[in-house]
Amino acid sequence: MRIWNEYRHERERDEVSRIYPKGIHETIAERLRASPDFEVETSTLDEPEHGLGEKALENTDVLFWWGHGAHAEVQDGIVDRVAQQVLAGMGLVVLHSAHYSKIFRRLMGTNCSLVWRESGEKERVWNLAPAHEITQGIGDYFEIPHSEMYGERFDIPQPDKLIFVSWYSGGEVFRSGCVWERGHGRIFYFGPGHETYPIYHDANVQRVLENAARWARRRISRSTNEAPNRPSPIEGGALWTR
Amino acid sequence: MRIWNEYRHERERDEVSRIYPKGIHETIAERLRASPDFEVETSTLDEPEHGLGEKALENTDVLFWWGHGAHAEVQDGIVDRVAQQVLAGMGLVVLHSAHYSKIFRRLMGTNCSLVWRESGEKERVWNLAPAHEITQGIGDYFEIPHSEMYGERFDIPQPDKLIFVSWYSGGEVFRSGCVWERGHGRIFYFGPGHETYPIYHDANVQRVLENAARWARRRISRSTNEAPNRPSPIEGGALWTR
Amino acid sequence: MRIWNEYRHERERDEVSRIYPKGIHETIAERLRASPDFEVETSTLDEPEHGLGEKALENTDVLFWWGHGAHAEVQDGIVDRVAQQVLAGMGLVVLHSAHYSKIFRRLMGTNCSLVWRESGEKERVWNLAPAHEITQGIGDYFEIPHSEMYGERFDIPQPDKLIFVSWYSGGEVFRSGCVWERGHGRIFYFGPGHETYPIYHDANVQRVLENAARWARRRISRSTNEAPNRPSPIEGGALWTR
Amino acid sequence: MRIWNEYRHERERDEVSRIYPKGIHETIAERLRASPDFEVETSTLDEPEHGLGEKALENTDVLFWWGHGAHAEVQDGIVDRVAQQVLAGMGLVVLHSAHYSKIFRRLMGTNCSLVWRESGEKERVWNLAPAHEITQGIGDYFEIPHSEMYGERFDIPQPDKLIFVSWYSGGEVFRSGCVWERGHGRIFYFGPGHETYPIYHDANVQRVLENAARWARRRISRSTNEAPNRPSPIEGGALWTR
């Protein structure tokens, strides 16, 4: 698997680097590396091809995506390449503010807009799907003491399954854990996370990400970007002519 | 409502103009005009802005889309404009080979590929949703004596509801009637149709299109292309500071 | 349409009859009668056949259901009769504590359990589907100042569409507006409502119920309680024999 | 896992016992026993409690169900017990004519009726979900040379995911592979199968059943048959009193 990060905040703002000194991607990667069956790599925006070369992606079973302030700098050609890999079977885990990334909007087909408030308020994440792979080890709910509010209406296609709904002390709700299949790939959006709150150090959040990495793994690798002609009827017989 | 047609075949190939002398759009429009509550307009690829100016779209409650050989000539900016209108509430009816149009692929987020055979074989369209608005007046099934085979796997997101499944004498099946919501807009994909078979003259097909026009109509008009900030908690109280 | 009420609380407890002097069914019915296109009747538990005779049901396009303390007294044969009518096309609107009614559990196939607290706390009902028929005239959210808390996990099949999610001041969330289709019938579960809070006098709640009555109306009337044999292949040909 | 069979045909009719000498349950069980990670047991209708005692079910991670002529003989109390186990997390694989079993109809909430023809015609099973666990090792389609026709409309709730659609030479289509979640349990309906055709000896069919056994396995064991009260708000504060 591969953790992608735009990796700008952490190099530019002290309040971010204090919490994620090597970058959000490394915080997540370190935790996932604790699973002996995971091979974890990272890529960042400022690498050539954003670290997402054709070969690298073909060998990626799940891609995690963090973006926030630099969505517009991701090249359209790379977005298409990632989208084709998801449709061919690669998993995608979309983190917090990546709701507004090109790749997520591209795969959803919607604007993925939401209401927000940077308020440090309490978020309580309710588990609606206790039998799902992604929630194993998670209780009825868990709390994030200081979070950014992301609220409805979230402009997404109806999820294939709704995993988490968040409650905020300020008064909103949010579909904070959603899964979809697109092509042959599995997609998980997970709301909790922020660059200036230590949310990716939270044990419940880490458990969810580990579970999601297992759930979203590539099962097949088969492009859907072609429309094959089958000139002869399977059942035989001549073609019709006027 | 507005019927959009790339309108090329009909001007270039006799076998098409024999069946649709004024264009596929006019054949469909004529039938819909028989409903006194419908105002029907048409637009074609070679008009300025493809006949899809900002104002025209704002006043469109449902857009029908036929495209086949010239998908690539539709300007990306116009595709974005249509997509934003759908997300804001406009209905979209996607016809046959428009499965491969930019606008349908843009809204689905998938490749929308399928298997095909130009064979003039029999298609039997099974009605799986007899209580749905789109199937009113349609029996358990209807037949198209000569059709192009479109077969699975159709690379689409799971429909919100599956309306029709087609059987082909050559041996394939196809999800030939599917509905989705994206943003505030309703989308209907309908497989039957072809430029050299008189399918849009078929009474069942025409009935489905009329029903779809009613079902897909715009209910609200509200852009989702913005992410509003709500700086103060609804519940009051001070924001958190470190 | 027909409003069904077990109609016991209102006759037994002063705190209920003060708020709903003629019964919850009459409060709802009065409001719906204001729509000139609605014909509204009522039925109650203690009538013969619970007021749900075969003929009455056949002539009902939407049935509203309120039950609370006497679910067990509803006869199983009547529950089957109502279920068959829903499967044949009748709409069903399930109110608050009717989540635990026999008819709702029968049609869902699940236990429909939830977590609850009789606390009079604030409920804020978020509108996730502003283009849906049921939410027309409803804003981004509405508030119920004193409500009973109904919280997740709600043991229901995934809704065909999630309409409302409620936030409670006590800390929970709830899928308080959900729609499903079963057979040819449409079902709406609506959480807000209570026998000792005046929730059915609330203008937003009344608007939702009016919208739901329109949305859920019977479109066809066709039993699904038989498995027809079709002995001859549509495509002709002899049957196979060993 | 446990294979349940009403086990009557095989003891009563030679044409059945020639194909399934030890019963359909044993044919399926033998194949599954080839997987070293599976523990396979069987139960039949005429055993005490139909071989489905409380303890046996608690220790069952997936239950396969074959029934045909004796659905009505299954005791309602046992059906409830099985349903509660599914809702608590046990998987259920519903085979062919068990579409009409009490347990399937109970969990779906619909009549599960369909159109049928005992014709020995060709069935081609199309794989719509090549990335799903259930279709691993299955190609674009597989064929059953002689099958009973089961056709639409199949009165089921919309599947969570549509896995297979069947084409029949007689002219019908059928949603022959469908999955749902109910409570915490996973359910798979699989159309192919018959008592007088050797369909359960088919390699593709066996592969699907093995895959389904893995996919449907119990993940948690938690009853949903109770509605817990949570008397104190998580957020603290006093309850409201009039």
Side-chain angles (χ1 to χ4, degrees), chain A residues 41-139:
Chain A
E41 294 177 278
T42 64
S43 298
T44 57
L45 179 63
D46 293 326
E47 297 174 37
E49 300 183 80
H50 312 322
L52 299 170
E54 198 71 71
K55 198 132 219 170
L57 283 177
E58 274 166 25
N59 293 322
T60 299
D61 55 354
V62 185
L63 182 66
F64 283 65
W65 195 277
W66 167 275
H68 184 203
H71 295 315
E73 294 182 43
V74 179
Q75 299 166 46
D76 289 337
I78 305 288
V79 172
D80 286 343
R81 183 187 291 168
V82 173
Q84 288 304 331
Q85 278 294 337
V86 172
L87 297 175
M90 183 178 74
L92 182 70
V93 177
V94 178
L95 298 167
H96 186 63
S97 50
H99 75 95
Y100 240 31
S101 62
K102 285 183 180 178
I103 182 62
F104 187 53
R105 298 174 75 171
R106 163 88 171 69
L107 286 164
M108 295 292 105
T110 56
N111 283 315
C112 304
S113 52
L114 46 75
V115 179
W116 59 280
R117 175 170 61 239
E118 187 128 16
S119 49
E121 69 199 77
K122 190 195 290 183
E123 176 178 1
R124 181 175 294 108
V125 184
W126 286 92
N127 176 0
L128 266 62
H132 196 278
E133 289 92 335
I134 288 180
T135 60
Q136 296 313 294
I138 302 295

Side-chain angles (χ1 to χ4, degrees), chain A residues 122 124 161 181 186 235, chain D residues 122 124 161 181 235:
Chain A
K122 190 195 290 183
R124 181 175 294 108
K161 192 169 177 69
E181 289 186 22
R186 295 180 169 188
E235 289 294 305
Chain D
K122 191 195 290 183
R124 183 175 293 108
K161 193 166 177 72
E181 289 184 26
E235 289 294 307

Side-chain angles (χ1 to χ4, degrees), chain A residues 1-3 28 31-32 35 37-38 40 60-65 89-96 129 131-138 142 161 163-164 176-181 185-192 200 203-219, chain D residues 133:
Chain A
M1 63 198 61
R2 184 174 297 278
I3 321 297
I28 294 173
R31 173 58 169 74
L32 294 175
S35 293
D37 56 327
F38 288 176
V40 186
T60 299
D61 55 354
V62 185
L63 182 66
F64 283 65
W65 195 277
M90 183 178 74
L92 182 70
V93 177
V94 178
L95 298 167
H96 186 63
H132 196 278
E133 289 92 335
I134 288 180
T135 60
Q136 296 313 294
I138 302 295
F142 64 93
K161 192 169 177 69
I163 309 292
F164 296 116
S176 54
C178 300
V179 296
W180 299 266
E181 289 186 22
R186 295 180 169 188
I187 301 171
F188 175 50
Y189 174 77
F190 188 51
Y200 292 119
N204 281 300
V205 168
Q206 292 186 341
R207 179 66 190 263
V208 167
L209 295 181
E210 180 190 333
N211 289 344
R214 276 181 223 286
W215 171 80
R217 278 203 273 205
R218 188 192 287 276
R219 273 151 184 78
Chain D
E133 289 91 337

Side-chain angles (χ1 to χ4, degrees), chain A residues 9-11 13-22:
Chain A
H9 294 314
E10 299 93 329
R11 294 184 291 155
R13 289 164 56 195
D14 280 359
E15 56 172 345
V16 181
S17 65
R18 261 198 304 274
I19 298 172
Y20 301 111
K22 298 182 200 164

Side-chain angles (χ1 to χ4, degrees), chain D residues 165-241:
Chain D
V165 171
S166 285
W167 174 101
Y168 293 92
S169 53
E172 279 89 355
V173 297
F174 186 56
R175 287 171 289 175
S176 53
C178 299
V179 296
W180 299 264
E181 289 184 26
R182 288 298 179 267
H184 303 309
R186 294 180 169 188
I187 301 169
F188 175 51
Y189 174 77
F190 188 51
H194 197 251
E195 69 279 8
T196 65
Y197 307 139
I199 295 175
Y200 292 119
H201 294 287
D202 178 272
N204 280 300
V205 168
Q206 291 186 343
R207 179 65 188 263
V208 167
L209 295 182
E210 181 191 333
N211 290 344
R214 276 181 223 288
W215 170 81
R217 276 202 273 207
R218 189 192 285 275
R219 275 151 183 80
I220 64 174
S221 195
R222 185 184 309 175
S223 170
T224 68
N225 197 15
E226 52 193 33
N229 183 230
R230 185 183 290 136
S232 303
I234 303 174
E235 289 294 307
L239 298 188
W240 175 75
T241 46

Side-chain angles (χ1 to χ4, degrees), chain C residues 91-167:
Chain C
L92 183 70
V93 177
V94 178
L95 298 167
H96 185 63
S97 50
H99 75 95
Y100 241 30
S101 62
K102 285 184 180 176
I103 182 62
F104 187 53
R105 300 175 74 172
R106 163 86 172 68
L107 287 164
M108 294 293 104
T110 57
N111 284 316
C112 305
S113 53
L114 46 75
V115 179
W116 59 280
R117 175 171 59 241
E118 186 129 16
S119 49
E121 68 198 78
K122 190 194 291 182
E123 176 178 1
R124 181 175 294 108
V125 184
W126 286 92
N127 176 0
L128 266 62
H132 197 278
E133 289 91 336
I134 289 179
T135 60
Q136 296 313 294
I138 302 295
D140 290 344
Y141 63 83
F142 63 92
E143 295 181 2
I144 295 170
H146 301 291
S147 193
E148 181 177 15
M149 189 282 291
Y150 270 15
E152 299 285 346
R153 184 176 169 268
F154 187 16
D155 182 33
I156 48 172
Q158 166 145 315
D160 290 349
K161 190 165 178 72
L162 184 57
I163 309 292
F164 296 116
V165 171
S166 286
W167 174 101

